[in-house]
Amino acid sequence: MSAFRFILLSTATLIASPALAQDAPALESPAPEDDASDPANTILVTGRVQRLYRTTQTTVGKSVEDPMNIPQAIQVINSDLFADQGARDATDIYRNISGVSFFSYAGVTFRGFRQDQSFYDGQRGNPFIGFSVPQLFNIERVEVLKGPAGLFFGPGSPGGIINYVSKTPSEKRALRMVLTGGTYARAGLSAEATGPIDANGIVTYRLGGFYEATDPYRRNTSNKSRIADGGIAIRTNEGGKLTLQATIYDNYLRANRLRGVLTDDDGHFLSDISWNANERTDFLHLKSQAYQARYQTSIGKRVTFDAGVRYFNAREVQKYHEPRGLAPNNPDLVRREFRDQIRPVHGLSFSTNTTARLDILGMEHKIQAGADWYNEKSVLNSRILRAGVTSLSLSNPVYGTSASDPARAALLPYTVTDTRSKRRGIYLQDQIALTPALLLVGGVRYDHFEDSVTTGTGQTASSRSSYSDSDITFRSGLIFKPRHDISTYFSWSQSFEPQTAASQDANAGGPFAPVTGNQIEGGVKSQLFNGRLQANLALYRIVRRNILQVDPSLAPVNGIDQLAPVGEVTSKGFEIDLSTDLTPNWVLLANYGYNDTRITGTAPGQSITNAVGNQFANAPRHKLGFWTRHQVPAIDAAFAFGGEYVSRRLSLSGQTVRPYAIFDASITKRLKFAEVLLKVNNLFDKVYAASGFSAQSGHFPGQPRTFLAELRFRI
């Protein structure tokens, strides 16, 4: 009997036998752990409070702040929405974020630009390192700052950043366990415990464990994910806390690194979406650990201070067959090569921030100052077997004929690419309350960076390049509140990204100044009807400059093409976000984003990376998402329905990525001792591409219809 059927049968038995639980305490759905003791934040399946999915504070600006006082668009997705949507990893929540859509693996398209960086608790150090997707088990909320975030986070894409905020120990004792089952042999178990260690609650703890296994719809695949998470918090003084955390990840993905399914130029799949270029013996195995310490304290009533250190160490082993496009003489055969790669990465980050509120000349100033420091070493050991690898049929794939590929690849030497990155930054921002209704924001940041790349085979280095530089970025904004629940704003902000160290070669014309981004944004944020309606509108224009291109007017030097910073891209659009309680038992979330990203400057006859012609790859013109949930107190149940629409896009090879609309539905039923969630994803079993990649490796197919069941216990 499958795990899914077992859980359904068990649930039906429990519902039919209420006498078994007459003495069991009534349980609540998870409340935010950072304020679990506040009755106003208690969240029940029956009679849930107003403002279910909404957050009145965020730390995306490195200090606790009301989103109404931040002159840029922000979204915060909390663990209540994770639970109601049955979200497992980051890709499950993108539909809730206007202006964000899936690109590949953990990468997204953010206001038209590809973005692969993630932050944890405001610091660099992503333990999933690129080809594994961040899991949500130990995440309390996801904070999204849209547009350039250079003032607080340093170098990065101008589209925005995603910050994962970890669960931390709570002073309220709680225990939660979840049993999971579903289609494709999904089975899992997770448990979390938190509470005080001593009688006075000076020391608190959190322990968590997560395991889930599934055999997805792609041929040969089987996934196993494990997470162990623990933390201790120590109240050091009045208003002060030291939090120590450690998390261990182990993801084993058979028949990965998973590429797409080949399509024609109109975006139609050339085979069933279960097709996979990988053999059953291929795999991707990620082991990583993250350790961090953070100290926060208040100094009087007007000064706060925090400092944090984060270290992560990851090692990803990949042995997989890479599709290389159709065979020239047989449109049913896909050529392949075998890749054996090992990617060890480790990084250490440190940050400190201070906030002080001062009265100067009758005006309140909120002054923030901070610094951050980050070192990372990333090594790619790669050997690629191209000769003698068997091609694979699209219509009738036969696996097992390439069993000798790993052994033959092992005879090749590794090509080693060793990349070292250093980032140092300091910032200062002042928020001035000119009047109670008028705020002025201004900030400046200085960054210094150093990058080096060494490439070699065996013990011989074939190339070395390094580069260091610095940059200054600015941010300014004006906020006007015609009433306490409406905030209008206008802002100008900058970003920068260092050019790759390999591009700084003097033979190529280097060194070059960083890629810069400038954004103008205006908008309105509202918290009407005592917060029951939050409706936000943002309009923006981003110009990204100094993108390197080959200069056709110059002859190569020592065989290396000459580069010039002649690339420019302009992204403009608007976003609408709505979150409201239609009735005390009915909540609606909706978001829409319009984006037009185009190349506005380039060398003749060339295209900028991630662009096709005049457009950018995987940048939809329109994206719409919604989620609505209605609870019925009479039967202790809640019914939910959601969906996502993404308009036509282009792949990296210029192939059409067809538009799609998919829908989900769920039922959450409260028992006397637990809660059960039954959910169906892709309700109408739509065949679609979640994003495009290349003509050689195809489009990433979206997941077909799947069923999920969760049985949740909490005491």
Side-chain angles (χ1 to χ4, degrees), residues 39-54:
N41 284 311
T42 302
I43 298 173
L44 303 176
V45 173
T46 301
R48 286 199 176 191
V49 298
Q50 303 286 331
R51 297 172 292 182
L52 173 61
Y53 301 132
R54 294 183 284 290

Side-chain angles (χ1 to χ4, degrees), residues 416-588:
V416 180
T417 303
D418 186 328
T419 303
R420 313 289 177 98
S421 300
K422 295 182 179 180
R423 302 286 184 267
R424 312 284 187 268
I426 57 174
Y427 77 90
L428 177 67
Q429 177 179 276
D430 190 7
Q431 182 189 89
I432 308 171
L434 301 175
T435 72
L438 188 62
L439 303 178
L440 179 64
V441 177
V444 59
R445 179 182 174 101
Y446 170 81
D447 281 282
H448 179 79
F449 56 89
E450 301 175 22
D451 292 319
S452 65
V453 178
T454 302
T455 302
T457 301
Q459 302 299 318
T460 304
S462 57
S463 67
R464 289 188 175 92
S465 60
S466 63
Y467 181 65
S468 64
D469 199 357
S470 59
D471 204 357
I472 296 176
T473 51
F474 296 91
R475 178 179 188 245
S476 61
L478 185 67
I479 301 168
F480 174 63
K481 299 181 178 179
R483 42 188 282 175
H484 76 280
D485 51 5
I486 295 179
S487 174
T488 64
Y489 68 90
F490 177 83
S491 66
W492 173 75
S493 52
Q494 292 184 305
S495 70
F496 83 97
E497 304 158 82
Q499 306 284 3
T500 63
S503 299
Q504 304 294 359
D505 191 334
N507 289 324
F512 299 100
V515 179
T516 63
N518 291 272
Q519 175 184 266
I520 296 174
E521 180 178 325
V524 181
K525 302 178 183 181
S526 65
Q527 297 178 350
L528 302 173
F529 305 110
N530 196 28
R532 293 194 300 274
L533 170 63
Q534 290 186 350
N536 304 323
L537 168 67
L539 299 92
Y540 61 88
R541 183 177 186 268
I542 304 171
V543 179
R544 196 178 189 184
R545 295 189 175 96
N546 290 345
I547 302 172
L548 293 182
Q549 298 283 276
V550 174
D551 188 341
S553 66
L554 298 176
V557 175
N558 295 325
I560 298 177
D561 290 330
Q562 297 292 282
L563 302 176
V566 296
E568 179 185 277
V569 179
T570 300
S571 169
K572 53 188 178 182
F574 65 90
E575 297 157 353
I576 300 172
D577 299 293
L578 174 68
S579 179
T580 183
D581 295 305
L582 299 173
T583 72
N585 293 313
W586 187 8
V587 64
L588 169 67

Side-chain angles (χ1 to χ4, degrees), residues 139-448:
I139 301 301
E140 180 60 38
R141 65 183 183 274
V142 175
E143 299 178 331
V144 182
L145 176 60
K146 301 179 182 180
L151 182 72
F152 297 118
F153 294 94
S157 168
I161 64 100
I162 297 177
N163 180 45
Y164 296 91
V165 179
S166 304
K167 293 179 180 178
T168 56
S170 171
E171 295 182 5
K172 181 179 180 181
R173 196 177 304 278
L175 174 64
R176 184 171 186 257
M177 184 172 71
V178 179
L179 295 173
T180 304
T183 47
Y184 300 109
R186 181 183 297 276
L189 171 66
S190 66
E192 303 172 73
T194 188
I197 293 178
D198 62 296
N200 297 320
I202 295 176
V203 181
T204 55
Y205 78 97
R206 180 183 180 277
L207 289 174
F210 173 90
Y211 171 80
E212 190 166 280
T214 182
D215 296 338
Y217 65 96
R218 300 289 295 275
R219 291 174 185 258
N220 299 326
T221 56
S222 179
N223 299 346
K224 292 181 173 61
S225 178
R226 303 174 180 87
I227 302 174
D229 184 54
I232 292 178
I234 305 169
R235 196 180 342 134
T236 57
N237 56 285
E238 186 66 29
K241 181 183 288 187
L242 173 65
T243 305
L244 308 173
Q245 294 174 274
T247 309
I248 299 173
Y249 305 89
D250 188 336
N251 285 355
Y252 182 84
L253 311 178
R254 192 180 71 193
N256 268 270
R257 189 166 84 187
L258 202 60
R259 294 297 198 182
V261 176
L262 272 63
T263 70
D264 61 23
D265 289 343
D266 292 326
H268 298 99
F269 288 113
L270 298 179
S271 68
D272 187 270
I273 62 171
S274 64
W275 189 90
N276 185 0
N278 288 302
E279 300 284 336
R280 189 177 178 86
T281 52
D282 294 346
F283 66 90
L284 182 155
H285 191 188
L286 170 71
K287 288 187 175 182
S288 64
Q289 308 89 40
Y291 308 94
Q292 67 180 34
R294 178 168 294 275
Y295 176 66
Q296 299 169 290
T297 189
S298 300
I299 305 172
K301 294 183 178 180
R302 313 203 81 182
V303 178
T304 63
F305 170 80
D306 71 84
V309 60
R310 178 178 175 85
Y311 171 77
F312 82 97
N313 183 25
R315 186 174 187 269
E316 190 171 66
V317 179
Q318 305 174 3
K319 296 181 185 293
Y320 68 102
H321 283 80
E322 173 79 2
R324 301 300 295 169
L326 295 172
N329 299 320
N330 188 339
D332 185 56
L333 288 182
V334 177
R335 295 172 299 174
R336 297 185 299 170
E337 63 187 29
F338 179 75
R339 297 185 179 182
D340 182 347
Q341 299 178 339
I342 303 174
R343 299 171 181 266
V345 182
H346 64 83
L348 177 65
S349 64
F350 172 79
S351 69
T352 181
N353 304 278
T354 302
T355 301
R357 295 184 182 273
L358 305 173
D359 291 321
I360 303 175
L361 300 177
M363 295 178 291
E364 183 182 74
H365 293 247
K366 180 184 177 182
I367 299 175
Q368 288 181 244
D372 48 70
W373 176 97
Y374 181 65
N375 274 11
E376 182 180 287
K377 176 181 178 181
S378 176
V379 179
L380 169 60
N381 302 281
S382 178
R383 46 194 179 194
I384 301 177
L385 180 68
R386 295 185 172 92
V389 180
T390 305
S391 297
L392 194 66
S393 169
L394 285 169
S395 60
N396 185 29
V398 177
Y399 297 97
T401 60
S402 297
S404 65
D405 290 348
R408 292 194 298 125
L411 301 176
L412 302 174
Y414 278 115
T415 297
V416 180
T417 303
D418 186 328
T419 303
R420 313 289 177 98
S421 300
K422 295 182 179 180
R423 302 286 184 267
R424 312 284 187 268
I426 57 174
Y427 77 90
L428 177 67
Q429 177 179 276
D430 190 7
Q431 182 189 89
I432 308 171
L434 301 175
T435 72
L438 188 62
L439 303 178
L440 179 64
V441 177
V444 59
R445 179 182 174 101
Y446 170 81
D447 281 282
H448 179 79

Side-chain angles (χ1 to χ4, degrees), residues 21 62 93 102-103 126 187 243 367 388 424 437 547 550 653 657:
K62 294 296 181 79
I93 62 172
F102 176 66
F103 195 109
N126 179 9
T243 305
I367 299 175
R424 312 284 187 268
I547 302 172
V550 174
S653 301
V657 184

